[in-house]
Amino acid sequence: MSFLEYRLKTVPTGARKVLFLNWALILLLIAVASIGFLMLFSVAGGALERWAEPQMQRFVLGLVAMFIVAMVPIWFWRNVSGLAYIVSVLLLVAVEFIGVTGMGAQRWIDLGFMRLQPSEVTKITLVMILAAYYDWLDPKKVSHPFYVLLPLVLILIPTALVLNQPDLGTAILLVAGGGIVMFIAGVSWWYFGVVIAGGVGLVTTVFTSRGTPWQLLKDYQYRRIDTFLDPSQDPLGAGYHITQSKIALGSGGFSGRGFMQGTQSRLNFLPEKHTDFIFTTLAEEFGFLGAISLLTLYGLIIFFCIVSAISNKDRYSALLIYGVAAAFFLYFAVNMSMVMGLAPVVGVPLPLVSYGGSAMLVLLVAFGLVQSAHVHRPRGR
Amino acid sequence: MKQNARDIEEASRLMNRRGFVVGGLQLAFMGMLGLRMRQMQIEEADQYRLLAEENRVNMRLLAPPRGLIFDRNGVIIADNAQNYRIIVVREDAGDVDDVIAKLQSIVELDNSELERAIREMNRRSPFVPVTLADRLSWEDFSKVAVNTPALPGITPDVGLSREYPMGEDFAHVIGYVGPVSDFDLNRIDDPDPLLQIPKFQIGKVGVEAKLEQDLRGKAGNRRIEVNAAGRVMRELGRDEGQPGADIQLTVDYRLQNFVQTRLKGESAAAVVLDTTNGDILAIGSAPAFDPNKFVRGISGPDYRELTEDIYRPLANKTVQGTYPPGSTYKMVTALAALEEGLVSPDETVWCPGHYQLGRRRFHCWKRGGHGWVNLQKSLVQSCDVFYYDVSQRVGIDKISAMANKLGLGIQHDLPMSAVAEGLAPTQAWKRARHGEGWRVGDTLNASIGQGFTLSSPLQLAVMSARIASGNAVSPRLIRAQGGIELPQLSAQPLDISARSLRMIRQAMHNVSNGQRGTARGSRIVAEGMEMAGKTGTSQVYSITAAERAAGVRSADDLPWDKRDHALFVCFGPSEAPKYAVSVVVEHGGGGSRAAAPVARDIMLFAQYGGIPPLEAYPSSQRERIRTMYEEMVLRDPVSPQNAKSRA
């Protein structure tokens, strides 16, 4: 077992762990979150208390959580991976019965102090269980059909539950995130080829099912797909969100209209301006420079994660870091593609920027795991 | 699971290779996102910015206040009255039915108007204000205003709407405004965006229509920021536009009111001109109508009543109506003959009561004949035969040339609707119009203002003003525009000898004042205020032999629309003319009986600037006149509100 390989004496202990945190990553996270506060302040029309303040409180809470998680040795987290996964799946089941309906989907459990979105939690616990699984599995057996089927089931259980909510965005993120972990773990290219082929087949089936009694997606999801293919066909109806979003984004130009000067987002042209579409406000007010800066910050976060993963000899830790980085990447990649008209509107928030407690807390806890893996990595020979 | 160190090494290398692949793919995807940003925000930025502007800024037109119209003294004739409205916003009202029910318990609402408002409300977005009721009384309006806290979504609002405080008096002169119709939009090629405002009022007839461009003003606009739903967020800028130019007429509102009142009950027209400069002091057509009804949108039955009335209240008879001028035309023939030297003042013609032209017999109005008639007597006693004789020597073309010189048969340029040209026929005209040659009989008829000859009351007034002044006086209706006095047209002397004019004026004086004058019954006895006039009775229908046999002796036995028109033209005071008046009473019978008394009253009112003293009338008539004035209801004097002081 690989953790026996650790030279535990070289791993920092106690308060010294703080010095061994990946500070660059933490600063990057703070930078991205700060952009988020700024934008939430702006879309609220200069009101702090509406969105920016609660978001700051949650971020501070999240940072504390991140530090606590980072202090706990990574092997503890590996040991609880299975449990975490089971709890999160149970929460997904629970949300079916006691969930709060919002935006046409059942997604929240009201915990009193915050609204928990189990689907967000699942994104991380799935990565954890897959990393633990591949850490346990003999690397020679990763491409064995049985050992490929097992993680697939692990992925598809929460995916099915999330799709049932229905939350297409999270479902895509789960499948893609899980798939990336499997790929990095070394599963044969063949499987991916087959899955992609199967995916194409599924898409075809989904479209042929349209209008029949066994229709696979909700009408609104079909309409969103239609709109994605040609937003101009219904600029005030189904294609409205994406058209307005593109107008706001494009009109920002190179340097933007200036802070608080965005006209499109402020005038309610944009739907969900403080959540999924917050990037358009940034792009409108700070222009290309602002947008590319945020993208660069995101890119640096991914970069530092990958560097940390490569330098980590522990299989669980490395896979976990790759997995968190992949999940994080999928968040902003899908969100940005969506608001720029490259992908259907599926309801994926912009990580650390969009208003929303669950996603932010979960992400910061996930980065806490990354920090823990970084701090407790095996060193030397 | 057991794993050996070499396997772990290998697995770790594989994992990092795969990690590189994933990282590379992620980097590539981010690069693509960056390129997409570049494309949208740099290459296509202008295009999106344009779309954004359209999204955001909305222009709302502001209707400028319409120019006011004043009388010559600065008394307001066409005003912009505050229009008290109730506006409802469905979204703010919540339960609209409940709010309307509450409103109805406070003020009475017109049901058809309410239905229309509810229909409109349901059709439009919930935040669009809809007018529930307009033209509320101040009492109702304030009741609603006080109760607004209990009436969510209800706003009392004040707009501007045309109002004509003088009611019927100026209906034909200034006309009226009304909402732009599709017909108007097709008729006038006018790109003014104001016309697109719903319910925007434009001039439909009269001065309101003719001077529409000046009265309307320039549209202002309000640039407002709207959100995606079209809701107004804030005002970005405002351009008040330019209010319409105020217009001052030459008409005197009191004289106009008197004329309208005096004509009441008849189908008649009267025009009063200032002989010195052509100012139209009064121009009345009866019956009239209330232009305010048209502003509000006249009801079907009301409109039918106006169009079906045989007295034609909608027609402006002063400029639009043309009548055979009858004997009032004799001055034209007489002047033509004098100027041509074809008749001398002393020359006499024998009038046996008729004139034989070939096999056709032309009658004089006096069946028994006038005996020996010279030019003076021919006018004073209005002998027809004299003119039958003289006109043949002059010829129709010379007569019509004189008519044109005196302002007949030519168009006068006035900003009123359908100003008629009338007709002073010539030989060429008849050939062109009827395709046959001029006959001597036509000349005979024309010489006494019958046959083809047609004149409007305005033209007849111009004629008497020109005879009175000896100048080519042109009628003028607009005194000032936008606070600037319009230059008076300097009247050139007529190319008519003073001697001829003097002779005609003398004869006209005797018509009104001479012992045998046809209008002696309508003389003025006040010293220095006497008038000089000429009666006219124009036949519109010849009594047939059958009717004569059936006992129809005179026009009074005929149905109204076949009776003669009564005409009278005059100027006064006859020694130093200041006013010229023409009166036409449609189917009124004889000019001396139906038209001359009206003309005298108007002339006196103009000279005295108010109800004349009874001393101005012959003593035998005073009792009757007093009763008439006692029964007359005139407008109380209004204090002037001058255009200049308003601005």
Side-chain angles (χ1 to χ4, degrees), chain A residues 183 187 240 244 267 340, chain B residues 18 36 41 49 55 227-228:
Chain A
F183 178 77
V187 176
Y240 179 79
Q244 295 300 332
L267 299 168
M340 284 193 281
Chain B
R18 292 281 177 98
R36 174 71 173 165
Q41 299 194 285
R49 199 166 272 258
N55 243 348
N227 70 5

Side-chain angles (χ1 to χ4, degrees), chain B residues 137-201:
Chain B
S137 67
W138 169 247
E139 285 76 24
D140 282 352
F141 182 73
S142 36
K143 265 191 242 168
V144 174
V146 167
N147 285 297
T148 39
L151 298 165
I154 298 279
T155 320
D157 180 72
V158 186
L160 287 180
S161 178
R162 204 59 152 175
E163 192 182 72
Y164 302 108
M166 299 290 170
E168 293 193 347
D169 289 357
F170 284 85
H172 294 113
V173 187
I174 56 173
Y176 50 84
V177 298
V180 185
S181 64
D182 292 339
F183 173 73
D184 292 324
L185 287 177
N186 292 332
R187 181 172 53 97
I188 44 181
D189 181 28
D190 188 348
D192 195 332
L194 275 174
L195 299 183
Q196 307 294 340
I197 294 181
K199 285 187 163 182
F200 184 75
Q201 295 177 332

Side-chain angles (χ1 to χ4, degrees), chain B residues 53-67:
Chain B
E53 280 303 304
E54 283 171 11
N55 243 348
R56 187 169 77 94
V57 180
N58 210 322
M59 295 269 268
R60 297 275 163 96
L61 281 177
L62 290 175
R66 195 175 173 83

Side-chain angles (χ1 to χ4, degrees), chain A residues 1 135-141 180 183-184 186-189 240 244 246-247 249-254 257 263-264 267-269 279 283 287-288 291-292 295 299 302 306 310 315 318-319 322 325-326 329 332-333 336-337 340-342 381, chain B residues 1-5 7-9 11-12 14-27 29-42 44-46 48-56 225-229 233-234:
Chain A
M1 299 211 179
D135 180 40
W136 163 80
L137 190 65
D138 185 339
K140 275 188 272 186
K141 292 179 183 164
I180 289 172
F183 178 77
I184 291 170
V187 176
S188 168
W189 287 90
Y240 179 79
Q244 295 300 332
K246 282 165 77 178
I247 288 175
L249 211 140
S251 65
F254 181 72
R257 290 181 190 271
T263 54
Q264 300 300 296
L267 299 168
N268 288 331
F269 282 110
F279 182 65
F288 176 73
I292 208 81
L295 188 65
I302 300 293
I306 288 175
I310 287 172
R315 191 167 163 79
L319 272 173
Y322 278 128
F329 167 80
F332 72 78
M336 286 185 177
S337 306
M340 284 193 281
L342 295 171
R381 257 283 151 202
Chain B
M1 217 172 263
K2 292 274 179 210
Q3 295 170 11
N4 63 48
D7 288 346
I8 290 167
E9 278 296 305
S12 178
L14 173 68
M15 196 167 67
N16 284 341
R17 270 206 308 278
R18 292 281 177 98
F20 268 123
V21 171
V22 170
L25 286 174
Q26 289 174 342
L27 191 70
F29 195 87
M30 281 189 270
M32 190 205 69
L33 289 177
L35 283 177
R36 174 71 173 165
M37 285 174 198
R38 201 184 111 89
Q39 184 202 358
M40 288 179 75
Q41 299 194 285
I42 295 175
E44 295 169 7
D46 290 345
Y48 283 114
R49 199 166 272 258
L50 199 69
L51 287 170
E53 280 303 304
E54 283 171 11
N55 243 348
R56 187 169 77 94
E225 197 171 86
V226 293
N227 70 5
M233 304 299 282
R234 69 195 164 110

Side-chain angles (χ1 to χ4, degrees), chain B residues 451-580:
Chain B
F452 298 115
T453 325
L454 289 171
S455 301
S456 68
L458 173 80
Q459 289 173 329
L460 292 175
V462 171
M463 176 186 75
S464 53
R466 289 188 179 185
I467 291 172
S469 66
N471 292 328
V473 174
S474 280
R476 184 174 86 137
L477 184 64
I478 307 302
R479 188 176 185 194
Q481 189 167 319
I484 299 156
E485 187 120 359
L486 298 187
Q488 295 185 8
L489 299 167
S490 56
Q492 299 296 316
L494 287 169
D495 182 22
I496 299 174
S497 72
R499 189 168 148 272
S500 304
L501 283 171
R502 205 160 46 237
M503 197 177 296
I504 297 297
R505 286 189 206 122
Q506 183 58 47
M508 285 174 76
H509 178 81
N510 290 336
V511 168
S512 286
N513 302 289
Q515 281 303 320
R516 310 289 302 267
T518 51
R520 181 174 165 77
S522 300
R523 67 188 179 280
I524 294 171
V525 298
E527 189 76 27
M529 293 211 167
E530 298 89 347
M531 66 177 187
K534 180 72 193 80
T535 56
T537 305
S538 71
Q539 215 177 352
V540 289
Y541 180 78
S542 298
I543 299 172
T544 60
E547 280 169 332
R548 211 178 291 281
V552 177
R553 285 274 167 264
S554 71
D556 289 347
D557 302 327
L558 286 168
W560 177 79
D561 63 342
K562 286 177 179 168
R563 293 181 198 164
D564 296 339
H565 292 317
L567 296 93
F568 193 76
V569 298
C570 59
F571 57 84
S574 38
E575 289 309 310
K578 168 77 176 149
Y579 304 102

